[in-house]
Amino acid sequence: MTSELHRLLEAANARIQHGNDERAAGADDKARTIADEAARRGRGGPRQLADELGVSEKTISQAIARARNTPIGSGRTLPPDTLERVLAAERETLPPLSGLQWEALARLVRETVIDVLWIEQPGGLLAQDVEDAELDQSLEPALLAEACRGFSRVQALAVIDACQRGDVATLPVKDGVAWTSQ
């Protein structure tokens, strides 16, 4: 399969998942509305509501049970692929580096334990890794470290994500500088 085909299928699946998530959120909203109204009406409220809505009392009790089991505030959430979309958008804003520089950075990332401390200053920590590594001078380590320091927090996290997933080819490459392996 071509990468374009994969991209289109992933986009279609994301839309389907978004629809499913919205449908579930709508059902949760409906259940909470019914439960709130039944409670507001007090004793006999579920029966009155069932009559008014033209549904069975069982339907009302199922809605009330669903509302009890639905976490508060879960009615609206971001689409499930939000993180992937944000990281992809940030990759598009990165300054282009040579394919060899991205590959070297990817090797460093894969050899590094990335933990929650990286959230605060991922670009600075990437730059430190570049400076601590014994990279070939043809990779211009000082310029690579400077580029890493210039990444915004989200750009740096997008780079780390691409490197960890082995998806370095999604990072922008300088004109006329080809990739070697990936």
Side-chain angles (χ1 to χ4, degrees):
M1 286 194 215
T2 65
S3 62
E4 178 66 8
L5 174 61
H6 283 275
R7 187 189 67 72
L8 292 172
L9 290 174
E10 286 175 14
N13 285 332
R15 287 187 71 190
I16 291 167
Q17 185 60 48
H18 178 70
N20 291 340
D21 293 343
E22 283 296 306
R23 189 174 299 107
D28 290 344
D29 289 347
K30 181 178 179 180
R32 279 191 293 273
T33 301
I34 290 170
D36 290 348
E37 182 60 21
R40 187 190 68 74
R41 292 181 183 202
R43 186 177 179 151
R47 177 175 293 142
Q48 291 172 0
L49 200 51
D51 290 342
E52 185 178 320
L53 297 175
V55 297
S56 69
E57 287 183 49
K58 180 180 179 183
T59 299
I60 299 299
S61 68
Q62 288 173 334
I64 292 169
R66 180 179 184 129
R68 274 193 213 117
N69 294 326
T70 302
I72 295 173
S74 68
R76 281 282 177 196
T77 60
L78 293 171
D81 63 340
T82 298
L83 177 61
E84 291 81 12
R85 287 179 183 216
V86 167
L87 295 177
E90 287 300 312
R91 283 193 304 269
E92 292 177 10
T93 67
L94 288 165
L97 300 174
S98 75
L100 291 174
Q101 287 174 315
W102 286 125
E103 289 172 4
L105 196 54
R107 279 192 302 280
L108 290 175
V109 166
R110 286 191 298 265
E111 295 169 358
T112 303
V113 175
I114 309 288
D115 58 19
V116 295
L117 298 175
W118 281 71
I119 293 172
E120 292 303 315
Q121 295 180 0
L125 293 170
L126 281 174
Q128 287 176 12
D129 276 5
V130 168
E131 291 168 342
D132 293 344
E134 294 182 16
L135 297 176
D136 187 289
Q137 289 304 309
S138 67
L139 295 172
E140 302 177 276
L143 290 176
L144 181 55
E146 183 181 328
C148 290
R149 272 195 190 82
F151 296 157
S152 71
R153 178 182 296 172
V154 181
Q155 284 177 323
L157 293 172
V159 168
I160 291 168
D161 177 67
C163 291
Q164 286 180 329
R165 287 185 297 107
D167 202 10
V168 183
T170 62
L171 300 171
V173 179
K174 290 180 184 175
D175 290 336
V177 183
W179 290 97
T180 58
S181 62
Q182 296 191 18

